[in-house]
Structures are given as C-alpha cells and as structure tokens.
C-alpha cells in the first residue's frame, strides 16, 4: 500500500473471494415462482369477477412477487459467475440488489393498497363473497406450500429471505381475504374487504422495510451489525507482538461474508512476517471475519498518524466561530 509497509497479508479460507451459491435455494425459488405466477393469474380473474379489493390487491402482490422471484433467480445465475480481473469480488452483490428491489417493490405495493382501500371506503362497491372465498382458500393453500418450501432453505440468504417475506405477506393476504369474504357473507358489510386489505398491508411493511434496510447497509458498506470497531482494535493489541492497531475497516461483502482491513505496528523484536496471519486468525475467531487484509507499519507511526487525524478532526469541528 505504501513504502512504509513491513508486512502485508490477505488471509481467508483458501484465499478465495467466491461465496457459494446454493443451487437448492435457487430450485426452491423456481418452484415457488411457477406456483405464484399461476395463482396470481387466477386471483386477478377472481378479484375482477367478485369485485374484491382484497383479492385484486393480493393479485398485485403476487404479480410483484413473481417479478421479484424471477429477479432472484437471475441474481443466483449471475452470482454463480467466477470473479474476473475487473470484478475481483465476483458478482455476489447482484443478490443484494435483487433483495433491495424485492423490498422496494413490496413497499410500493403497500402504498397502492392503502390508496385503493381509501378510495373503496369512500365509495363502497358490491362484492360477490362466494367466489371471493373460493379463490382466497386456494390462495391460502398455495402460499402455505410455498412458505414450507422456502423455509427449508438457509435463513442467511437474503434472496431466499426476501422471497419468504413475500410469500408470508401473500399468506396473510389470503387469510385477510378469507376473513373478509366470510364477514361479508354473514353481515353484508362490504367495507370489511378494503379494511382487511389495509391490515394486511401494515403487517407486511415491517418485514419489507427490514429487507430494504439490510440491503442498504451492505451496499453502503456499513460496519456489520454487532461489530464494534474500537473494541476490535483493542482486541488485536492483545495479539503477541502487536504494539498498536488502527485504521480498522469492516464491511459485508454478501449475506454471510465479512471483509476487513487493519493496520498494526510491531513490538520490538516481534516477527513482522508472522503478525498478519496471527492478527487475521484473531479477527476470524472473535468476529467471524473471513477475509482480512493486515498491514504492518513501522513502530510508532500508527499512533502518530492517529494523533494527527484526531487533531485535524478537532480543528474541523471544534473551531467554528
């Protein structure tokens, strides 16, 4: 990195940036994609025939899920490509982008459902509860089967998690539609249909926002949750031969892979060639960081640089008049 480097080490299992892409998870998503697409068509027709917003909204939800699942499948195919000279970390961030798109699509759909429900509440329309109930029950069965298939995959896969959130939202939509249909049959209250649509939308918002927030953390290269930078630096100074540690940066490469860089200075007489591997091993054991780049600087240089940086920080933020 610079001419002061005494030692520099990339450390990780097999020193590979490749992250395994589960073909089993891709197959699960493909099965659910086919089921979801087929049912979205049935539900759209059922919603139009019965006049039910709960079914129409859920059909839109299912259609957006189909698009999101297709995007996830494409992401799996792209993520499986090996790294090249231009993209040395490979294509795994494509999966994070797909998960972000899933979350955003779901949030947009929730807004549409809320607006449509508001419109319906102000001007109620007639609803055929019988056909609505039949279509909603079929939807419930389809979504339960889809959720069971996806839940057997790994929870650390953001694409699979995104797909499961979508299906669970659809499952809630089917339950809401069934409840609305039964309620309308018993009471004749047509406002139950848009009311329950809004309830389902609210339940989905939290999960969708969580998916968006997690994806943005990865894309903004934020420090992984649960990792405290200063504590990790202090921990590294406990490695035999390390005098100081600083300039620690850590970020998430993909769902289950953390990358980090750190500078250290050696104690007098320490084996500078052995330090990088020892520091990397410490960070891997304590913080599950699987790819660490360690730079060894001359004794004393790190502390001086830190003091200079602190002085600049104080000058920038402490002397405004």
């Amino acid at each position: 990195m610079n001419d002061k480097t005494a030692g520099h080490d990339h450390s990780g299992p097999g020193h590979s940036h490749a992250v395994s892409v589960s073909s089993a998870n891709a197959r699960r998503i493909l099965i659910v994609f086919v089921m979801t697409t087929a049912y979205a068509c049935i539900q759209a027709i059922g919603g139009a025939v019965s006049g039910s917003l709960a079914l129409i909204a859920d059909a839109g939800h299912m259609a957006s899920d189909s698009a999101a699942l297709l995007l996830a499948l494409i992401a799996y195919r792209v993520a499986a490509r090996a790294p090249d000279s231009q993209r040395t970390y490979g294509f795994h961030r494509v999966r994070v982008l797909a998960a972000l798109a899933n979350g955003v699509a779901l949030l947009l759909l929730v807004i549409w459902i809320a607006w449509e429900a508001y419109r319906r509440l102000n001007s109620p329309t007639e609803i055929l509860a019988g056909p609505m109930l039949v279509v909603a029950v079929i939807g419930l069965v389809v979504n339960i089967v889809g959720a069971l298939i996806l839940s057997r995959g790994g929870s650390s896969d953001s694409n699979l998690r995104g797909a499961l959130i979508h299906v669970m939202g659809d499952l809630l939509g089917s339950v809401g539609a069934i409840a609305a249909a039964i309620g309308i049959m018993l009471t004749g209250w047509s406002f139950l249909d848009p009311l329950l649509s809004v309830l389902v939308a609210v339940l989905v918002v939290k999960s969708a926002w969580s998916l968006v927030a997690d994806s943005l953390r990865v894309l903004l290269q934020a420090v992984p949750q649960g990792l405290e930078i200063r504590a990790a630096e202090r921990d590294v100074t406990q490695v035999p031969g390390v005098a100081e540690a600083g300039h620690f940066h850590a970020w998430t490469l993909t769902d289950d892979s953390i990358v980090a860089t750190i500078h250290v200075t050696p104690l007098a007489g320490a084996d500078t060639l052995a330090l990088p591997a020892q520091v990397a091993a410490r960070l891997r054991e304590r913080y599950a960081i699987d790819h660490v780049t360690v730079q060894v600087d001359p004794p004393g240089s790190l502390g001086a640089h830190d003091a200079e940086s602190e002085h600049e920080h104080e000058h920038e933020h402490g002397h405004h008049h």
Side-chain angles (χ1 to χ4, degrees), residues 171-191:
L171 199 151
L172 288 170
S174 296
V175 171
I178 289 168
I182 292 171
I184 292 163
M185 287 171 90
L186 294 176
T187 65
W189 296 342
S190 61
F191 69 84

Side-chain angles (χ1 to χ4, degrees), residues 6-9 241 264-267 269-277 294 296-299:
H8 184 78
D9 181 68
V264 298
T265 59
L267 288 168
D271 181 355
T272 56
L273 293 178
L275 278 186
V294 182
V296 182
D297 290 339

Side-chain angles (χ1 to χ4, degrees), residues 8-143:
H8 184 78
D9 181 68
H10 287 290
S11 182
H15 186 47
S16 170
H17 294 146
V19 180
S20 63
V21 176
S22 169
S23 59
N25 285 354
R27 201 159 48 247
R28 286 184 181 97
I29 288 183
L30 177 61
I31 292 167
V32 177
F33 166 71
V34 172
M35 289 169 52
T36 303
T37 304
Y39 180 65
C41 297
I42 295 169
Q43 200 172 31
I45 294 165
V49 169
S50 66
S52 165
L53 174 63
L55 287 185
I56 292 170
D58 213 34
H61 194 172
M62 296 288 265
S64 97
D65 287 355
S66 293
L69 290 166
L70 181 61
L71 188 61
L73 286 168
I74 293 168
Y76 276 120
R77 183 63 60 90
V78 173
R81 292 173 61 185
D84 58 30
S85 60
Q86 298 298 311
R87 289 160 288 261
T88 56
Y89 279 122
F91 296 82
H92 303 285
R93 283 280 172 91
V94 173
R95 295 165 64 197
V96 181
L97 289 171
L100 178 62
N102 287 3
V104 170
L106 200 49
L107 288 173
L108 290 174
L109 189 75
V110 164
I111 292 168
W112 177 81
I113 291 170
W115 168 251
E116 186 65 21
Y118 171 76
R119 221 170 52 77
R120 291 274 188 116
L121 286 168
N122 283 336
S123 54
T125 54
E126 188 189 353
I127 294 161
L128 303 175
M132 178 184 172
L133 181 61
V134 171
V135 175
V137 168
I138 294 169
L140 182 63
V141 173
V142 168
N143 287 315

Side-chain angles (χ1 to χ4, degrees), residues 305-321:
H305 189 88
D306 283 346
E308 187 181 317
S309 299
E310 186 64 30
H311 176 72
E312 285 174 4
H313 181 80
E314 285 176 4
H315 181 75
E316 287 173 9
H317 298 282
H319 297 287
H320 294 296
H321 296 290

Side-chain angles (χ1 to χ4, degrees), residues 227-246 248 262 264 278-289:
L227 179 59
E228 210 283 291
I229 293 291
R230 296 291 166 254
E233 286 179 347
R234 285 194 298 272
D235 197 20
V236 165
T237 61
Q238 303 304 307
V239 174
V242 173
E244 302 163 301
F248 182 47
I262 189 168
V264 298
Q278 292 168 354
V279 169
R282 180 83 165 201
L283 289 171
R284 196 158 48 244
E285 288 164 16
R286 295 292 182 92
Y287 304 99
I289 300 173

